[in-house]
Amino acid sequence: MKLDILAFGAHPDDVELGCGATIAKEVSLGKKVGIVDLTRGELGTRGSAELRDVEAANAAKILGVAVRENVRFADGFFTNDKAHQLEIIKMIRKYKPEIVLCNAIDDRHIDHPKGSKLVSDACFLSGLLKIETILDGEKQEHWRPKQVYHYIQWKNIEPDFVVDVSGFMDQKVASVKAYSSQFFDPSSEEPETPITSKNFIDSIEYRARDLGRLIGVDFAEGFSSERYVAVENLSKLI
C-alpha cells in the first residue's frame, strides 16, 4: 500500500498529540495516511504496553488512518544507529510516502529528539540505491520522501509553518483521550506524571487555539522543516 503521508512517533500517542488534527484533515481530503510507532511505551509510568497497543488501535480508528504499525524498539533505549535506521528504511520503502511527519526536534522526553533524528536520517538513507533491504523475502526498491516535517510536542518550538485545523480538533482530542491510561483521570490511583494533569489535557486545545489566533483561524498545528517551505505563489498563503 502506497501512502501519501507516514507519521512516526517515538511512543503511541506522540502522533495524536503532535499532529492528530492535521492527520484527520488530510484523511478527510482523501489522503492515505499511516502511523508507525517506534516503541510500545513500555516504560510509561501508567498503564502497560499491552494496554497501549489497544489504545493505539482505537486512536487510529478515530483518526481514520489506513494503517498503523509498531516496530517495537526499546522505549528509552533505542539509538540512532545502523540497525535501527534499517528498520525505519524498511517502513519508508514499504509505504513510499510523499511526506513524513516525525517527532519534535527538541523536547522534554529524550526519545522525542532521538526519534526525530533517527527518522530524518532514515528518510535520506532510504533513497540510496546501494542500501539493500529485504522485507517479507523480497528486495525493496529505494524511496526518499519529498518532505520531512517535525511536529511540536512539549516545548514551545517556533514553527516554520502552521496548518489550519479548524473543524478537526474534536477528532484530535478524541484520539488523545483514547489513551485513557495516560492522561487526566481524577479517579485514577496511579502516580501523577507531567501529562496527567488537567492543565496538560486542556493545553491540547488552548495551544492550538493560540496558533490559530496568530493566523486568523480557530485552530492550528505547527511544524518545523529542515528545508525551505515553498509556495506556488503568494496567493496560496493564508
Side-chain angles (χ1 to χ4, degrees):
M1 179 193 303
K2 186 187 182 311
L3 298 176
D4 298 298
I5 301 169
L6 185 56
F8 288 87
H11 314 101
D13 74 23
D14 283 356
V15 169
E16 288 84 353
L17 285 165
C19 59
T22 297
I23 286 176
K25 183 173 186 176
E26 293 292 340
V27 170
S28 78
L29 295 173
K31 300 295 186 181
K32 287 187 177 180
V33 183
I35 297 174
V36 173
D37 301 307
L38 303 188
T39 78
R40 299 172 73 202
E42 61 269 23
L43 294 183
T45 301
R46 291 190 176 192
S48 65
E50 292 75 20
L51 181 53
R52 295 286 283 276
D53 291 343
V54 174
E55 292 171 339
N58 291 336
K61 290 178 183 177
I62 291 169
L63 293 178
V65 298
V67 65
R68 184 170 205 154
E69 292 201 43
N70 194 306
V71 292
R72 296 187 173 223
F73 294 162
D75 190 10
F77 294 99
F78 70 84
T79 57
N80 184 9
D81 61 10
K82 181 178 179 180
H84 288 83
Q85 289 165 357
L86 286 171
E87 292 304 310
I88 300 302
I89 289 170
K90 289 178 184 178
M91 292 293 101
I92 294 166
R93 290 177 173 180
K94 178 179 181 178
Y95 292 113
K96 296 180 169 58
E98 302 297 321
I99 297 171
V100 162
L101 306 177
C102 52
N103 284 100
I105 56 174
D106 182 33
D107 214 41
R108 180 186 68 86
H109 196 300
I110 62 170
D111 280 354
H112 296 170
K114 276 197 303 180
S116 176
K117 190 67 165 64
L118 167 60
V119 172
S120 178
D121 289 351
C123 284
F124 176 81
L125 294 170
S126 182
L128 299 180
L129 273 168
K130 292 184 178 179
I131 295 178
E132 294 188 3
T133 53
I134 306 293
L135 187 67
D136 298 330
E138 294 186 6
K139 181 179 177 181
Q140 294 182 296
E141 296 179 356
H142 66 287
W143 181 269
R144 183 175 294 147
K146 292 179 180 177
Q147 300 290 348
V148 178
Y149 300 134
H150 304 261
Y151 47 84
I152 295 170
Q153 299 184 260
W154 182 272
K155 291 186 177 181
N156 287 324
I157 295 172
E158 184 174 352
D160 292 317
F161 67 94
V162 294
V163 177
D164 176 8
V165 295
S166 304
F168 296 92
M169 282 302 295
D170 286 347
Q171 228 174 318
K172 170 177 178 151
V173 171
S175 73
V176 171
K177 288 184 175 179
Y179 296 90
S180 57
S181 68
Q182 301 302 302
F183 301 109
F184 178 67
D185 179 1
S187 65
S188 176
E189 296 181 358
E190 293 195 77
E192 294 294 323
T193 77
I195 64 172
T196 61
S197 70
K198 187 176 186 302
N199 187 23
F200 179 81
I201 203 74
D202 290 346
S203 75
I204 297 169
E205 180 171 320
Y206 69 64
R207 292 179 76 188
R209 189 180 292 279
D210 192 50
L211 277 178
R213 173 186 65 82
L214 293 171
I215 64 168
V217 302
D218 290 335
F219 297 100
E221 288 181 329
F223 297 83
S224 57
S225 175
E226 300 172 31
R227 298 165 53 184
Y228 287 131
V229 177
V231 295
E232 185 178 342
N233 56 61
L234 291 179
S235 66
K236 297 294 184 181
L237 293 168
I238 295 178

